[in-house]
Amino acid sequence: MLKSKTFLKKTRAGGVMKIVREHYLRDDIGCGAPGCAACGGAHEGPALEPQPQDPASSVCPQPHYLLPDTNVLLHQIVSAWRPGTWASVASSLRLPGSLETYVEQEQGENANDRNDRAIRVAAKWYNEHLKKMSADNQLQVIFITNDRRNKEKAIEEGIPAFTCEEYVKSLTANPELIDRLACLSEEGNEIESGKIIFSEHLPLSKLQQGIKSGTYLQGTFRASRENYLEATVWIHGDNEENKEIILQGLKHLNRAVHEDIVAVELLPKSQWVAPSSVVLHDEGQNEEDVEKEEETERMTAVSEKMLKPTGRVVGIIKRNWRPYCGMLSKSDIKESRRHLFTPADKRIPRIRIETRQASTLEGRRIIVAIDGWPRNSRYPNGHFVRNLGDVGEKETETEVLLLEHDVPHQPFSQAVLSFLPKMPWSITEKDMKNREDLRHLCICSVDPPGCTDIDDALHCRELENGNLEVGVHIADVSHFIRPGNALDQESARRGTTVYLCEKRIDMVPELLSSNLCSLKCDVDRLAFSCIWEMNHNAEILKTKFTKSVINSKASLTYAEAQLRIDSANMNDDITTSLRGLNKLAKILKKRRIEKGALTLSSPEVRFHMDSETHDPIDLQTKELRETNSMVEEFMLLANISVAKKIHEEFSEHALLRKHPAPPPSNYEILVKAARSRNLEIKTDTAKSLAESLDQAESPTFPYLNTLLRILATRCMMQAVYFCSGMDNDFHHYGLASPIYTHFTSPIRRYADVIVHRLLAVAIGADCTYPELTDKHKLADICKNLNFRHKMAQYAQRASVAFHTQLFFKSKGIVSEEAYILFVRKNAIVVLIPKYGLEGTVFFEEKDKPNPQLIYDDEIPSLKIEDTVFHVFDKVKVKIMLDSSNLQHQKIRMSLVEPQIPGISIPTDTSNMDLNGPKKKKMKLGK
Amino acid sequence: MAGLELLSDQGYRVDGRRAGELRKIQARMGVFAQADGSAYIEQGNTKALAVVYGPHEGMGQGWTQGSQLKGARGRHMQDRERKTGGFVLEIRGSRARALPDRALVNCQYSSATFSTGERKRRPHGDRKSCEMGLQLRQTFEAAILTQLHPRSQIDIYVQVLQADGGTYAACVNAATLAVLDAGIPMRDFVCACSAGFVDGTALADLSHVEEAAGGPQLALALLPASGQIALLEMDARLHEDHLERVLEAAAQAARDVHTLLDRVVRQHVREASILLGD
């Protein structure tokens, strides 16, 4: 049946346009219930469960499907999602397009009413349809709506209908489900004191008008970690330099939450403020005294030039709420069902939730979602989503850090897994198309011990003409991950594999990462090979890229490979191959360093895990062997060769990686620190930096060089992915290469997958797809990848920090030697080489008399009483675990040597009251 | 393009069709008695009218013949113009010379001022109309057995009454019917259809909404019996790897159009023969 729709539309220019659109109503959409003879179930796979599990509802005892209306779906789906509870969601959305359930908008009926009626018609149709299907199998569709009128009308029409709350309450099996409902009911808010705290948010249309005319500014709201009454808004748009606006005070923040997109209005200059340097945490349980607490702390006299543009939030353009991890602060009032929830992230306000299980949730990490923030409420309202487990438990904490760093870590969905190759898998004729057979080559892989996702393998052999053939073979992941399917989308979303101390969160399902793509020895694997012909001076004569099939002859660890190279009596193919590679790698490295590549250093540690409990029992700094740098050298070479190739082929949309040179001001700290040791560091070019770092040696202080390199690392910028058509600075500063990309680890980085696809198209081994040559899409991918990489790094660091805590928890209090990395106004930052641990020693505490501190910015040094601290000074610190704040346990360090009366703690006392009353650390003037 | 989902997860297009489905086609032949052949076609909301004159004596070099013709028809048209209020299939004298070995195919395309949502200023003679006329001419020179009528001319006038995507295809299909109605011998039907490419799927018979989204767009005129291509045109970029699929979708759609047109022709012939009383 054909329906034509005619409507009038106002065009952008202001004219009125008539638009005619036709719409075909179909008669071939199945009901989705399997076994339905009438529909044949032919068109889609069954969407409904064959026999809905019995959720044991007291209002509806027989098995049934649920049909939530759009509002219920929108607001409750996240909160109430549990397998088997909402079975029929997917199919209900499809129905309005079907012939039987099409509903014409009636005269005087608005769009919402029409939708409601359409859903009712659908529910009715479903009930009749299911009745026809089988008489004995009394399946029913229950309509769930929160709209009172809608429900009444539904019952009138003979459709069993309930409100969401009614239905969930009636579920006898899951009483705790009620807590998870988003509280949107109007009654919930009425109890609040009628006093209106916040000014109203303007509607979107007004905001857009205002933004267009320039009265309002659009930006991302960033709450301050240190002060809950302060936030900054990063204004979008690049016409000016990234403009930052300060917001101060609850009222001006006006219910915006971290990461929201907001519209702000600038205040007149007379009301501008300077960023306060005070640490303020929202501790008040009391909701009434909003006004008082605000005005007291601020308004210290500030100089004129410190003032920054100040504004207030007038409206929210887009909320970016997500479920937050944190802990429940149980209400003082007994029997109360309302409690405050304190998120782990200090930038998120506390959230009021309603729960009956407060006592069981106490001391647990839980997840809460925000539902709304009424004008008369001090805190946003939310609902409980999930209980993660006890605080301090390893699983719980891992989950928390994954959630807080937005690392997607759920198991792969069925849809994603469906795109995996079927096992047992073997290489077919079709796979061999456009592929070279390199199984005869003596290829081996060199990786850290215990590595299961081997994505690179190497070979080297002498050619008849005396030159060397060197091959880097990378797992051909793009052969398995086809563009656009669910598997591809999921990997693109994850962006990278995240390695935590005891866990790996894969980017691609395990079947691929540890089996089919992993270049294990003695099996045939698909690879993407980059093969060079080189002379003995490691000069590239010819470069060839090809898809291939390889059969690795050995999977070695770095240590094993080193042993083979070193032992004189081994002369098999693999060993000669390794020796050849090693020789070339040394030349390559030398050449690279001559060009000005930096060798930086960061204290990396590895935990030795107890095999039973997975508790860390010891720490070890990572060792570096010759073979590490051998593999690295060839990976770099492959990446650079590939980058050149894809940029040559796709000048506008090659995915590359750049490392911008840091602004000179970044180096200040390094230069000053070196000067205090009478060393000079030149920073004008990468090469001079590398050279001066090499020369910076002190015979009496061998660790100094490493320290300098660690400091230099801190001065660097972040390397980022970008699309070649969107940028014109390709230089990679750290590697001193004019062009660079990532090609060599497609199992754990999505960027490499894209690069593989680009390269495959460039050599004609694979076909392209529209998104691949769309530079805006590519730029979006880069943005996500950069974000995920950053988050993965943070998560990794957080994981190391947590394990360090566990380690010191078991170890008790220890004293260790440390070096000063930075000197701050009221503290020193030290590095303990033994553990690779960095920490801050504070010299000011709230309940102690402040010592006399003199800070010199120029040297830099800090004089406390009579002792002067310089950067790189050796000190001795005591390390202990501070668990005074359950949510944020941390390592605390205090000074032992040199002894300063009143500051350092004597070496022998260990009975400090660590778990005493909360001590708030004030971090001033940063 | 943002916000508009051209192909839903369930595989439905904006107007409820599946990827390979055509819009509803309705057609009629012999809509005008005065012309030698005429036809009207609706493809969804795209509606087109085609009129064929000829084969008649080609307009020679001299203006006498042409102006005579013009004069005769001019009067006739003034008449019609009055009746229809400006909507006229105007004939512009072709300055081309008659060809010694085959018939000259003269095509003119115009679209009514009311064919689109916003009223058009100029019904014909703009660059787009000229291009479309040339394309139609190419198409029909390939299909009509022109060598049977040397030194003569065949005029095909097509007007789009309502445009909702796929105007070229509708014009070709209408013109085919009109040429058949005029009884001019052709190699085969010429059936045309457009196709696009969205999210890795080839869509047949694009509507205006889908065309406006700006993806690649392919117009194909096919001689279905032999599978020969009379005209193939593509806008926007499409990687060659996908071309075959899009082409196949368009060809399949054109074959579907052929089935429908064939039915229309047979129906028309049946009706005509009843009228003749055979």
Side-chain angles (χ1 to χ4, degrees):
Chain A
M1 196 169 88
L2 185 69
K3 276 278 168 193
S4 189
K5 205 163 39 171
T6 309
F7 57 95
L8 297 170
K9 189 180 136 192
K10 204 171 157 195
T11 59
R12 228 173 272 164
V16 173
M17 211 163 118
K18 189 169 176 184
I19 290 180
V20 182
R21 265 188 209 160
E22 51 178 0
H23 193 90
Y24 293 85
L25 298 181
R26 310 193 66 95
D27 53 6
D28 60 351
I29 299 180
C31 68
C36 172
C39 302
H43 297 282
E44 247 78 24
L48 299 182
E49 287 181 25
Q51 190 65 50
Q53 291 161 357
D54 191 6
S57 161
S58 58
V59 289
C60 183
Q62 65 268 61
H64 52 269
Y65 293 123
L66 296 177
L67 185 81
D69 84 352
T70 29
N71 275 330
V72 173
L73 199 62
L74 212 62
H75 297 299
Q76 307 290 11
I77 188 104
V78 196
S79 51
W81 181 271
R82 269 172 63 101
T85 317
W86 307 98
S88 67
V89 169
S91 61
S92 65
L93 294 171
R94 206 164 45 212
L95 274 162
S98 164
L99 181 59
E100 290 95 334
T101 53
Y102 181 72
V103 175
E104 186 98 35
Q105 190 163 0
E106 280 171 3
Q107 199 78 43
E109 186 180 45
N110 66 26
N112 276 337
D113 287 346
R114 192 212 82 107
N115 286 345
D116 285 347
R117 195 155 58 87
I119 296 168
R120 287 201 302 275
V121 170
K124 203 167 173 183
W125 176 82
Y126 246 119
N127 267 336
E128 277 160 20
H129 183 81
L130 290 175
K131 223 173 269 169
K132 253 188 282 171
M133 183 175 117
S134 58
D136 51 315
N137 188 0
Q138 277 306 319
L139 278 173
Q140 236 192 343
V141 167
I142 291 185
F143 182 45
I144 307 284
T145 178
N146 277 341
D147 185 56
R148 206 178 305 136
R149 233 156 37 96
N150 199 2
K151 186 189 152 197
E152 277 163 16
K153 276 195 186 148
I155 291 175
E156 238 168 70
E157 287 167 32
I159 306 160
F162 302 100
T163 65
C164 199
E165 208 178 337
E166 279 172 347
Y167 180 77
V168 174
K169 267 190 187 153
S170 75
L171 294 177
T172 40
N174 303 311
E176 83 280 359
L177 214 54
I178 186 85
D179 281 352
R180 303 188 186 192
L181 289 183
C183 59
L184 286 169
S185 52
E186 303 88 40
E187 308 100 75
N189 306 332
E190 280 162 13
I191 314 166
E192 257 23 274
S193 59
K195 204 171 87 184
I196 285 176
I197 305 173
F198 299 104
S199 55
E200 203 163 359
H201 286 155
L202 297 178
L204 200 59
S205 55
K206 272 222 175 117
L207 293 180
Q208 271 158 353
Q209 245 173 32
I211 289 165
K212 227 177 184 177
S213 67
T215 25
Y216 304 141
L217 296 164
Q218 179 179 342
T220 316
F221 183 89
R222 307 203 152 272
S224 150
R225 241 179 251 275
E226 267 114 34
N227 185 344
Y228 76 101
L229 291 174
E230 190 173 282
T232 50
V233 171
W234 284 91
I235 301 305
H236 298 173
D238 37 17
N239 44 349
E240 291 154 73
E241 74 286 1
N242 246 347
K243 223 168 138 194
E244 200 187 11
I245 292 181
I246 293 198
L247 313 174
Q248 261 186 0
L250 266 188
K251 273 192 181 159
H252 287 170
L253 300 183
N254 200 358
R255 293 172 284 163
V257 179
H258 185 63
E259 300 265 90
D260 284 350
I261 311 283
V262 297
V264 288
E265 181 187 41
L266 271 180
L267 295 176
K269 263 206 170 125
S270 57
Q271 291 179 40
W272 283 14
V273 293
S276 68
S277 49
V278 205
V279 183
L280 263 188
H281 290 300
D282 190 3
E283 306 267 351
Q285 189 56 269
N286 202 335
E287 307 200 353
E288 307 304 325
D289 49 355
V290 186
E291 312 299 320
K292 282 164 264 162
E293 59 180 297
E294 243 188 76
E295 300 302 324
T296 45
E297 284 281 359
R298 295 189 288 111
M299 302 328 286
T300 41
V302 277
S303 63
E304 203 58 19
K305 65 169 186 188
M306 297 265 289
L307 294 181
K308 289 238 174 112
T310 309
R312 69 183 186 95
V313 172
V314 286
I316 309 279
I317 292 161
K318 188 170 166 276
R319 288 288 194 192
N320 264 331
W321 290 343
R322 57 183 176 93
Y324 300 103
C325 295
M327 288 177 71
L328 197 70
S329 334
K330 210 174 154 204
S331 170
D332 296 335
I333 312 157
K334 244 191 185 176
E335 300 296 308
S336 168
R337 275 167 37 203
R338 288 154 174 281
H339 304 277
L340 275 178
F341 160 85
T342 315
D345 189 341
K346 288 187 185 135
R347 292 171 296 192
I348 307 297
R350 303 211 278 172
I351 303 166
R352 186 188 303 111
I353 63 166
E354 201 168 312
T355 177
R356 286 172 211 173
Q357 343 162 36
S359 42
T360 51
L361 293 183
E362 216 184 355
R364 305 277 180 106
R365 296 266 190 190
I366 59 172
I367 299 182
V368 161
I370 303 184
D371 297 324
W373 198 337
R375 286 177 63 197
N376 52 8
S377 162
R378 169 78 168 70
Y379 298 109
N381 292 328
H383 66 267
F384 163 71
V385 177
R386 202 145 68 90
N387 182 351
L388 295 175
D390 283 324
V391 164
E393 287 285 316
K394 210 158 350 123
E395 285 77 40
T396 316
E397 296 299 326
T398 308
E399 179 89 15
V400 168
L401 75 89
L402 288 175
L403 283 168
E404 280 305 305
H405 293 98
D406 203 8
V407 177
H409 61 283
Q410 293 81 12
F412 289 96
S413 72
Q414 213 52 48
V416 171
L417 295 176
S418 71
F419 286 99
L420 290 178
K422 302 280 166 293
M423 294 301 281
W425 173 86
S426 63
I427 296 167
T428 62
E429 270 302 297
K430 219 175 106 208
D431 297 334
M432 289 303 293
K433 212 179 113 197
N434 295 325
R435 229 171 249 285
E436 217 169 297
D437 193 343
L438 301 178
R439 278 176 281 203
H440 57 279
L441 291 178
C442 184
I443 294 168
C444 64
S445 62
V446 185
D447 284 283
C451 177
T452 59
D453 49 350
I454 305 170
D455 39 23
D456 48 85
L458 298 157
H459 88 270
C460 171
R461 62 170 181 174
E462 194 147 338
L463 294 173
E464 280 159 15
N465 60 11
N467 288 333
L468 291 169
E469 181 193 79
V470 178
V472 167
H473 310 274
I474 307 297
D476 189 5
V477 179
S478 63
H479 176 83
F480 297 98
I481 303 184
R482 301 311 299 168
N485 67 25
L487 177 58
D488 181 46
Q489 282 165 5
E490 180 64 23
S491 342
R493 193 171 77 93
R494 296 191 176 211
T496 173
T497 295
V498 182
Y499 295 87
L500 302 183
C501 288
E502 83 297 0
K503 203 175 170 180
R504 184 179 86 197
I505 290 108
D506 277 325
M507 181 184 85
V508 295
E510 193 169 3
L511 177 67
L512 290 182
S513 68
S514 304
N515 189 356
L516 297 185
C517 286
S518 182
L519 304 175
K520 295 191 288 191
C521 58
D522 300 327
V523 279
D524 290 352
R525 287 286 176 254
L526 300 179
F528 209 141
S529 303
C530 174
I531 298 168
W532 300 283
E533 190 179 328
M534 289 183 180
N535 59 19
H536 287 269
N537 284 327
E539 276 151 3
I540 299 172
L541 305 171
K542 229 192 272 171
T543 311
K544 187 175 88 177
F545 304 100
T546 177
K547 291 221 171 190
S548 60
V549 185
I550 60 160
N551 190 323
S552 169
K553 300 289 178 288
S555 307
L556 307 172
T557 64
Y558 290 121
E560 281 167 11
Q562 190 68 52
L563 262 175
R564 274 175 185 255
I565 292 172
D566 295 343
S567 67
N569 49 4
M570 284 185 86
N571 274 315
D572 54 309
D573 280 353
I574 297 169
T575 314
T576 27
S577 175
L578 284 172
R579 284 195 191 123
L581 288 169
N582 199 28
K583 204 184 91 197
L584 292 173
K586 279 182 187 160
I587 306 172
L588 286 170
K589 184 166 187 182
K590 202 175 132 228
R591 196 175 301 149
R592 205 163 54 81
I593 286 171
E594 271 166 18
K595 271 198 219 152
L598 299 172
T599 337
L600 299 172
S601 166
S602 60
E604 270 191 276
V605 287
R606 243 197 138 88
F607 286 96
H608 281 282
M609 298 288 184
D610 188 315
S611 54
E612 291 285 308
T613 59
H614 293 288
D615 281 329
I617 41 180
D618 200 5
L619 288 136
Q620 181 197 22
T621 41
K622 275 183 191 166
E623 273 181 82
L624 286 179
R625 289 190 181 81
E626 227 173 33
T627 42
N628 287 54
S629 96
M630 173 187 92
V631 173
E632 190 193 338
E633 220 46 60
F634 282 105
M635 294 306 131
L636 292 177
L637 194 63
N639 285 337
I640 292 169
S641 292
V642 171
K644 277 183 194 149
K645 174 79 182 172
I646 59 172
H647 182 247
E648 191 181 291
E649 200 78 17
F650 302 100
S651 57
E652 281 292 293
H653 34 252
L655 193 155
L656 302 175
R657 189 168 173 84
K658 68 168 174 183
H659 184 207
S665 60
N666 277 22
Y667 286 124
E668 237 168 66
I669 204 163
L670 175 69
V671 175
K672 277 184 191 167
R675 202 178 296 142
S676 71
R677 293 274 151 185
N678 294 325
L679 293 168
E680 197 189 355
I681 300 285
K682 291 199 200 90
T683 59
D684 38 345
T685 60
K687 191 167 184 216
S688 60
L689 175 66
E691 274 168 7
S692 49
L693 276 177
D694 286 340
Q695 285 156 10
E697 296 275 359
S698 161
T700 52
F701 190 6
Y703 198 65
L704 179 68
N705 192 270
T706 315
L707 280 173
L708 279 170
R709 284 180 201 278
I710 291 171
L711 264 189
T713 314
R714 303 287 161 92
C715 305
M716 293 297 150
M717 308 278 284
Q718 195 90 35
V720 287
Y721 296 111
F722 69 103
C723 169
S724 61
M726 310 287 269
D727 209 328
N728 38 29
D729 171 30
F730 296 176
H731 194 75
H732 197 293
Y733 182 79
L735 297 172
S737 169
I739 190 165
Y740 191 68
T741 191
H742 270 163
F743 167 73
T744 52
S745 301
I747 302 181
R748 57 189 178 86
R749 288 188 307 230
Y750 188 74
D752 302 51
V753 177
I754 296 279
V755 171
H756 273 226
R757 286 181 188 157
L758 286 167
L759 186 63
V761 174
I763 62 167
D766 205 345
C767 63
T768 178
Y769 56 103
E771 283 80 20
L772 193 65
T773 48
D774 182 333
K775 63 179 181 181
H776 296 282
K777 291 246 168 67
L778 214 53
D780 287 344
I781 291 176
C782 290
K783 210 171 132 197
N784 180 47
L785 290 180
N786 289 331
F787 171 74
R788 294 289 179 203
H789 275 271
K790 200 170 73 194
M791 280 314 180
Q793 249 175 33
Y794 291 165
Q796 238 154 300
R797 272 183 224 160
S799 173
V800 171
F802 173 67
H803 280 83
T804 318
Q805 283 170 21
L806 281 187
F807 177 71
F808 283 108
K809 200 175 182 177
S810 57
K811 202 142 192 196
I813 299 167
V814 283
S815 293
E816 285 297 340
E817 276 182 3
Y819 295 100
I820 299 178
L821 268 188
F822 303 104
V823 176
R824 301 248 185 265
K825 266 187 195 165
N826 61 342
I828 51 171
V829 180
V830 297
L831 175 84
I832 300 158
K834 188 175 169 191
Y835 303 117
L837 179 71
E838 201 182 311
T840 312
V841 181
F842 289 94
F843 295 118
E844 270 175 345
E845 278 186 53
K846 213 182 183 184
D847 44 359
K848 279 189 188 169
N850 278 355
Q852 191 201 353
L853 299 175
I854 302 160
Y855 176 68
D856 187 346
D857 193 33
E858 275 309 301
I859 307 203
S861 70
L862 182 70
K863 191 174 176 191
I864 303 166
E865 306 290 338
D866 296 322
T867 321
V868 185
F869 291 96
H870 289 109
V871 176
F872 302 143
D873 279 353
K874 198 173 181 179
V875 292
K876 204 164 188 187
V877 293
K878 180 169 281 204
I879 312 160
M880 55 206 151
L881 188 68
D882 178 6
S883 39
S884 55
N885 183 349
L886 260 185
Q887 180 136 252
H888 301 282
Q889 292 194 350
K890 54 191 157 211
I891 300 284
R892 213 164 104 183
M893 297 185 184
S894 31
L895 196 65
V896 180
E897 266 177 29
Q899 294 234 348
I900 305 170
I903 306 274
S904 58
I905 46 171
T907 19
D908 48 353
T909 52
S910 53
N911 53 352
M912 279 263 298
D913 186 12
L914 291 177
N915 299 329
K918 269 188 195 175
K919 284 173 199 155
K920 217 160 59 176
K921 281 178 195 155
M922 305 287 276
K923 207 169 166 190
L924 281 169
K926 206 187 152 183
Chain B
M1 176 146 188
L4 190 65
E5 192 185 35
L6 290 180
L7 194 65
S8 75
D9 293 341
Q10 281 91 23
Y12 296 113
R13 288 155 70 174
V14 181
D15 52 10
R17 284 185 287 160
R18 284 178 181 282
E21 287 176 343
L22 294 173
R23 291 175 290 178
K24 188 171 182 166
I25 294 185
Q26 278 177 315
R28 217 144 45 91
M29 289 166 76
V31 284
F32 297 130
Q34 277 156 331
D36 294 326
S38 60
Y40 170 73
I41 196 165
E42 286 183 9
Q43 284 186 258
N45 273 333
T46 302
K47 298 174 185 180
L49 198 57
V51 176
V52 172
Y53 292 95
H56 55 78
E57 209 176 326
M59 288 177 228
Q61 195 178 19
W63 275 100
T64 40
Q65 225 178 358
S67 59
Q68 257 176 20
L69 228 162
K70 215 176 179 184
R73 217 166 264 159
R75 222 176 309 120
H76 167 83
M77 272 187 340
Q78 277 167 8
D79 237 333
R80 241 196 348 205
E81 197 163 2
R82 229 178 293 127
K83 280 179 203 153
T84 53
F87 156 49
V88 141
L89 292 171
E90 197 192 337
I91 298 167
R92 290 261 174 100
S94 163
R95 259 157 248 172
R97 245 185 264 192
L99 302 167
D101 58 335
R102 56 196 164 96
L104 181 85
V105 179
N106 171 37
C107 288
Q108 270 187 27
Y109 166 92
S110 64
S111 66
T113 49
F114 48 80
S115 62
T116 48
E118 268 175 333
R119 197 179 151 84
K120 273 178 70 167
R121 290 270 160 71
R122 210 169 150 190
H124 51 73
D126 57 341
R127 198 173 276 264
K128 200 182 143 218
S129 304
C130 291
E131 192 193 344
M132 191 72 104
L134 275 173
Q135 285 176 350
L136 285 171
R137 178 174 167 175
Q138 266 182 28
T139 314
F140 281 94
E141 272 180 346
I144 295 175
L145 296 167
T146 46
Q147 67 276 21
L148 293 181
H149 311 280
R151 305 176 61 77
S152 54
Q153 181 174 344
I154 298 167
D155 295 317
I156 302 175
Y157 302 103
V158 193
Q159 181 154 39
V160 169
L161 304 180
Q162 189 169 301
D164 185 27
T167 44
Y168 169 75
C171 289
V172 170
N173 296 335
T176 302
L177 292 179
V179 171
L180 285 171
D181 187 39
I184 299 170
M186 288 212 285
R187 286 193 178 82
D188 192 0
F189 281 72
V190 204
C191 296
C193 195
S194 61
F197 190 71
V198 169
D199 297 341
T201 319
L203 305 183
D205 194 11
L206 300 183
S207 70
H208 176 66
V209 183
E210 287 160 339
E211 279 185 359
Q217 205 186 119
L218 180 131
L220 169 78
L222 191 74
L223 305 177
S226 58
Q228 280 174 312
I229 291 173
L231 186 113
L232 178 65
E233 203 218 0
M234 188 161 78
D235 302 336
R237 280 154 41 116
L238 177 73
H239 195 274
E240 57 172 325
D241 294 340
H242 305 301
L243 181 65
E244 205 168 321
R245 268 159 61 209
V246 182
L247 199 56
E248 180 47 39
Q252 182 54 45
R255 282 193 286 272
D256 293 344
V257 170
H258 174 245
T259 334
L260 287 165
L261 295 191
D262 189 60
R263 205 180 295 158
V264 171
V265 174
R266 280 173 202 282
Q267 177 72 22
H268 178 74
V269 172
R270 207 173 300 133
E271 278 167 14
S273 57
I274 289 167
L275 285 176
L276 286 171
D278 280 347

